[in-house]
Amino acid sequence: TGGWVGLDLGEKHVISKVAYCPKKNEPYSSMLLGLFEGANNPDFGDALPLFLISESPQEGIMTEQIINCSKGFRYVRYIGPNNARCNLAELEFYGYKGEGDDSNLYQLTNLPTVTIHTTNAEDVVIKELYLKGIVSIISDNGTEIYTDSLDVRGRGNGSWEFPKKPYRMKLYNKASLLGFPAVEKSWTLINNHGDKTLMRNLLAFDLSKRLEMPFTPAGKAVDVIFNGQYKGTYQLCDQMEVATGRVEVDKIKTSDIELPSITGGYLIEVDAYARFEPEQSWFSSNVGIPVTIKYPKDDKIVPEQKTYISSHFNEMETALYSSNYADNENGYRKYIDKQTFIRHFLIGELSGNTDTYWSVYAYKNKNDDKFYFGPVWDFDLAYENDSHTYPINKLKDWVYKSGYSAHMMRNFVDRLFTDETFVKEVQTVYALYRDNNILSAEPLLQVVDDYARELNESQKLNFTRWNILNAVIHRNPQIYGSYEEEVENVKNYISGRIDWMDVKLKYKPASINQDKDEDLVLVYSESNTLYIKNIDSETRINIYDLAGRNIYSREICDDISLTLKKGTYIVDISSPSIKKQVKSIIL
């Protein structure tokens, strides 16, 4: 009656096979997604999966399943799916005595498996309360495992209302999960329940990298088990915070209340939900934009720091709405970093994200007046997934004008677009990436296809657990009826969106390499080394980093190789025979 049944084997055994038969007169599907687990604690707090039933067994027949798990367990059990009763007639375990090892563990699909067990199998039912437990992450086809104690709670705003719950994990020890850049304790499991492709956030993160945003959240699709229940396909992702490998701004201490220390760093969020965090938020003095301080954290920040950053935001807003707002020295350019704002804007518009200005992250460094925008976040309504704006490519104006925004943020963007110089800068940035085939239908559609292949096995289990492909979830504009058609909808949107953006931004392809074939000068990279070859005459080389800084400028007459830090660079080549050749290189 507790939803599971198991055995104490008395000592550790390596399980080699299980056999099971469903209870008579029960639906054949009553064991579908049922899970077998092994553990060495009697409460199964350290349990690891042995096998997930992905096809309904037949009544009256013992179904046998070979188990590929090299670890030894004293305790074994079967758990009924979706908190149901076991519905078992007979259950058998086979194996042999032994400690075993971690060399070959069970992974549900090709995606990493994240399994969490809380103390006393307590479920997460509220967002604010952390529960203690143990997390294990099995990856690399079962050859790698990470295990640690953790605290886990719910997270999200609208996403918390779904039956498939999102989670926030706080590890006991800092770690780099799945090889992500950050070595930290806080991580998120995003549910993507209203996104039936299960990839929209990941597609947006790809756009962020393509447009060379300084910080892009790390994310990876995973399968999640919670207290022995299969929960579906999730996205393991960075927590949005100041940290090495995440948002890297100058750290600020409680004692930093004097100039220049108090000037940075800060991470803030223009936040439509700011009213729910009154101690960490304010409304701007001019037009009432709601802002929440994300760093320093609420238990570290002091009143002087909150006063400084709120005042500085107000100064930025005052400059934007002043009569000389377009002035290079004293207008909005003093406070707004155009390069990150423009790229943040383009990501929102290219993806068709109706939530772009509902939540906007920005950061500020020490002794720097400017707010830098990003990282990008929350794209479940993007890529044609919002009935409010469907079909996006039939809109005459930008998505942000029809989407959702925090108070006055739509007006904030409108104000910038009244500056003709700003509009030209948006057009220039867009043209740069279009000319270099970074923003083109072919590579963007290839990313969709790659994620669809990666997710294929997992999505079948996810939609077995959550039978929603023929239901309207959240703001779905249409029912497409299958995973393949959901993916096709995204691809059709991307193809049309590139054409729409070209017209809107008056894009005209640049004439690159007019006097000789573009590939005559070869530019490529290997192991942090940039190679430029096929130089046959005096040639000027300029190399720029993400911030637009010229890090290399020289005339050369022969092939060269340069060792550079890992990153993305723009290589500008010109000579008497080459009027212009620009390449984007990722090391």
Side-chain angles (χ1 to χ4, degrees):
T1 58
W4 64 270
V5 61
L7 295 169
D8 176 359
L9 302 177
E11 54 188 307
K12 291 182 181 179
H13 286 68
V14 175
I15 305 302
S16 58
K17 183 175 71 172
V18 295
Y20 49 91
C21 180
K23 181 181 175 182
K24 189 177 180 180
N25 298 324
E26 288 290 336
Y28 296 161
S29 62
S30 64
M31 293 184 68
L32 185 61
L33 301 182
L35 184 72
F36 294 88
E37 287 186 320
N40 288 306
N41 292 332
D43 64 355
F44 284 87
D46 64 337
L48 295 179
L50 293 171
F51 177 66
L52 182 76
I53 298 175
S54 59
E55 296 183 5
S56 298
Q58 295 184 35
E59 184 183 33
I61 297 176
M62 290 294 290
T63 298
E64 295 186 350
Q65 175 64 45
I66 299 298
I67 301 299
N68 293 310
C69 181
S70 60
K71 189 177 182 66
F73 301 104
R74 174 174 171 174
Y75 305 98
V76 292
R77 70 175 178 179
Y78 167 78
I79 308 173
N82 310 332
N83 297 307
R85 294 180 301 172
C86 293
N87 293 319
L88 277 168
E90 190 170 343
L91 174 65
E92 299 172 349
F93 290 89
Y94 297 81
Y96 55 90
K97 294 179 182 179
E99 291 280 338
D101 57 38
D102 292 340
S103 63
N104 183 31
L105 302 175
Y106 176 67
Q107 203 170 302
L108 269 61
T109 70
N110 56 298
L111 301 183
T113 295
V114 178
T115 180
I116 298 171
H117 289 82
T118 61
T119 302
N120 298 322
E122 190 175 355
D123 197 12
V124 173
V125 294
I126 58 174
K127 291 193 299 181
E128 295 76 16
L129 178 65
Y130 275 106
L131 303 178
K132 295 188 179 302
I134 296 174
V135 61
S136 296
I137 302 176
I138 302 168
S139 59
D140 293 343
N141 294 318
T143 62
E144 296 290 334
I145 183 171
Y146 168 84
T147 299
D148 195 10
S149 298
L150 89 163
D151 294 329
V152 59
R153 65 170 176 84
R155 66 168 304 278
N157 292 301
S159 61
W160 175 249
E161 303 304 320
F162 294 132
K164 180 185 178 186
K165 299 298 184 185
Y167 303 106
R168 178 173 174 179
M169 302 188 299
K170 187 162 64 176
L171 307 175
Y172 275 33
N173 300 287
K174 290 184 177 182
S176 168
L177 301 184
L178 301 179
F180 290 162
V183 181
E184 290 297 326
K185 293 184 178 181
S186 294
W187 299 87
T188 62
L189 285 168
I190 299 173
N191 52 350
N192 291 329
H193 191 60
D195 168 18
K196 295 174 188 175
T197 69
L198 305 168
M199 69 171 76
R200 282 179 165 89
N201 278 300
L202 295 171
L203 293 176
F205 292 172
D206 175 77
L207 268 184
S208 176
K209 293 174 184 175
R210 286 175 180 276
L211 268 66
E212 303 171 293
M213 290 290 279
F215 309 121
T216 299
K220 172 73 175 176
V222 297
D223 296 310
V224 171
I225 298 168
F226 199 95
N227 287 330
Q229 298 287 328
Y230 168 71
K231 293 294 185 180
T233 309
Y234 281 69
Q235 179 181 317
L236 178 63
C237 197
D238 280 329
Q239 170 68 16
M240 192 68 76
E241 64 179 359
V242 170
T244 302
R246 289 180 175 169
V247 183
E248 298 182 7
V249 301
D250 300 317
K251 293 293 183 72
I252 191 168
K253 303 176 182 177
T254 303
S255 58
D256 292 336
I257 59 173
E258 301 292 338
L259 289 173
S261 296
I262 200 172
T263 63
Y266 296 91
L267 174 64
I268 62 172
E269 179 188 8
V270 174
D271 181 12
Y273 294 106
R275 65 188 183 278
F276 298 116
E277 299 181 72
E279 294 184 0
Q280 281 294 98
S281 63
W282 77 90
F283 292 84
S284 64
S285 59
N286 291 278
V287 297
I289 294 174
V291 186
T292 302
I293 302 172
K294 296 298 182 180
Y295 178 84
K297 297 181 180 179
D298 54 3
D299 60 342
K300 300 292 185 182
I301 196 168
V302 295
E304 291 87 350
Q305 293 164 347
K306 181 176 180 180
T307 298
Y308 170 80
I309 191 62
S310 58
S311 297
H312 196 76
F313 188 92
N314 290 336
E315 289 174 15
M316 178 267 289
E317 189 182 78
T318 298
L320 178 63
Y321 286 97
S322 67
S323 59
N324 65 337
Y325 75 107
D327 182 80
N328 285 329
E329 298 297 326
N330 299 308
Y332 70 85
R333 289 177 176 82
K334 180 180 178 180
Y335 298 98
I336 294 176
D337 176 66
K338 299 193 306 288
Q339 294 305 314
T340 53
F341 187 94
I342 288 171
R343 284 161 172 78
H344 184 277
F345 169 82
L346 288 174
I347 294 165
E349 291 297 327
L350 281 161
S351 67
N353 188 21
T354 53
D355 265 350
T356 296
Y357 295 103
W358 184 261
S359 166
V360 182
Y361 285 94
Y363 52 93
K364 182 188 180 300
N365 270 310
K366 182 186 294 185
N367 257 0
D368 186 344
D369 282 338
K370 291 183 179 180
F371 286 100
Y372 295 80
F373 289 79
V376 297
W377 190 257
D378 192 8
F379 286 79
D380 63 315
L381 295 180
Y383 296 97
E384 204 70 286
N385 197 32
D386 191 343
S387 57
H388 179 66
T389 53
Y390 177 84
I392 290 175
N393 293 330
K394 293 291 182 68
L395 297 176
K396 294 182 179 180
D397 216 330
W398 298 112
V399 171
Y400 84 86
K401 288 181 175 289
S402 300
Y404 318 99
S405 71
H407 182 65
M408 291 301 290
M409 271 308 293
R410 188 179 295 127
N411 185 268
F412 185 102
V413 183
D414 286 343
R415 180 67 170 170
L416 288 169
F417 270 89
T418 61
D419 177 11
E420 293 182 3
T421 302
F422 177 81
V423 174
K424 291 179 180 177
E425 289 170 329
V426 174
Q427 293 170 331
T428 299
V429 172
Y430 179 74
L432 170 67
Y433 294 104
R434 287 289 283 121
D435 286 343
N436 287 281
N437 202 39
I438 296 171
L439 294 180
S440 296
E442 183 178 355
L444 295 181
L445 295 179
Q446 185 62 55
V447 174
V448 177
D449 287 337
D450 289 345
Y451 275 127
R453 279 191 292 271
E454 181 181 355
L455 286 159
N456 187 50
E457 188 178 352
S458 181
Q459 64 86 13
K460 293 176 183 177
L461 291 178
N462 182 82
F463 294 117
T464 299
R465 174 65 181 86
W466 307 103
N467 185 20
I468 60 173
L469 284 174
N470 287 296
V472 171
I473 304 297
H474 198 33
R475 296 194 177 97
N476 295 160
Q478 283 196 20
I479 294 174
Y480 295 95
S482 71
Y483 183 74
E484 292 73 20
E485 288 302 313
E486 291 285 349
V487 172
E488 193 64 25
N489 170 52
V490 169
K491 293 175 69 174
N492 290 337
Y493 164 78
I494 290 173
S495 297
R497 193 61 180 171
I498 294 294
D499 294 340
W500 190 97
M501 294 283 288
D502 284 353
V503 173
K504 185 67 175 177
L505 290 172
K506 301 176 181 177
Y507 168 68
K508 295 181 180 179
S511 178
I512 299 177
N513 240 12
Q514 293 176 350
D515 297 330
K516 61 193 299 185
D517 291 338
E518 180 181 350
D519 293 331
L520 194 56
V521 175
L522 186 61
V523 182
Y524 66 97
S525 63
E526 289 181 357
S527 303
N528 284 35
T529 301
L530 172 68
Y531 297 92
I532 303 176
K533 294 188 175 183
N534 293 348
I535 301 295
D536 60 1
S537 62
E538 190 172 275
T539 301
R540 164 64 66 175
I541 306 294
N542 285 292
I543 302 176
Y544 303 91
D545 65 8
L546 293 181
R549 294 174 295 215
N550 190 315
I551 63 171
Y552 183 89
S553 181
R554 189 170 300 174
E555 289 188 354
I556 60 174
C557 297
D558 204 352
D559 298 349
I560 63 168
S561 62
L562 300 170
T563 300
L564 301 173
K565 293 181 180 179
K566 185 177 181 180
T568 305
Y569 300 88
I570 300 297
V571 182
D572 192 338
I573 304 169
S574 61
S575 74
S577 60
I578 306 173
K579 290 188 177 180
K580 189 177 184 183
Q581 175 173 303
V582 180
K583 295 280 189 181
S584 176
I585 296 294
I586 302 175
L587 273 68

